[in-house]
Structure formats: C-alpha cells, structure tokens
Amino acid sequence: MALKMEYLGNFLFYFFFIKFILSYMQIDVRHRWVRVFTHLWMLFEVAVIALVWDDTRREEMFAHHDLEVDSQFGYHFF
C-alpha cells in the first residue's frame, strides 16, 4: 500500500507543480499545444498508476526484485 501511495503522490506532486508553473508564467493560456501535451501526459500517468494499483498485475511488476543488503557499506538495494 505504501508503494501505491508513493506512486500516486509522485504523480500528483509533479502534475500540480507543472500546472502551477505553466499558469504562473501564463504559458498554458498562450499556447494550446502545451495544454494538450499536459493532458496527454496526465492520461499516461493515470494509466501507469492504474497498473500499479491493480493488484492482479503485482507479481508481473514486482516479482523478480529482491531486497538485498550490502554489509560492507550498510545499505539496501534491489
């Protein structure tokens, strides 16, 4: 569940940050293609999040990754 929230939070942060910058600099008002690109990017990200939140595909996405420990340097990695 934490991984799902992490992906969702990452998407929401970057999406609203980009929307803020575009509206602050009034780029989205002047350029129609920027708005179209932003919405297409949002749809792509929603599709990725839908795949992450779909529990039936969890094994396909995360099954082959193991958490390992490097005892020499003391950190964890996949």
Side-chain angles (χ1 to χ4, degrees), residues 6-59:
E6 180 181 348
Y7 278 107
L8 182 64
N10 190 20
F11 160 69
L12 290 175
F13 172 77
Y14 285 112
F15 179 73
F16 286 114
F17 180 71
I18 289 172
K19 291 291 282 181
F20 170 74
I21 294 297
L22 292 176
S23 66
Y24 183 76
M25 299 182 77
Q26 296 179 352
I27 294 173
D28 60 343
V29 175
R30 290 180 286 177
H31 302 287
R32 180 178 175 266
W33 290 108
V34 172
R35 283 194 313 259
V36 170
F37 176 73
T38 305
H39 288 116
L40 287 176
W41 177 66
M42 180 187 73
L43 289 174
F44 173 74
E45 289 289 331
V46 166
V48 171
I49 288 176
L51 286 175
V52 170
W53 277 66
D54 184 18
D55 287 334
T56 60
R57 300 182 187 267
R58 180 185 307 158
E59 294 300 321

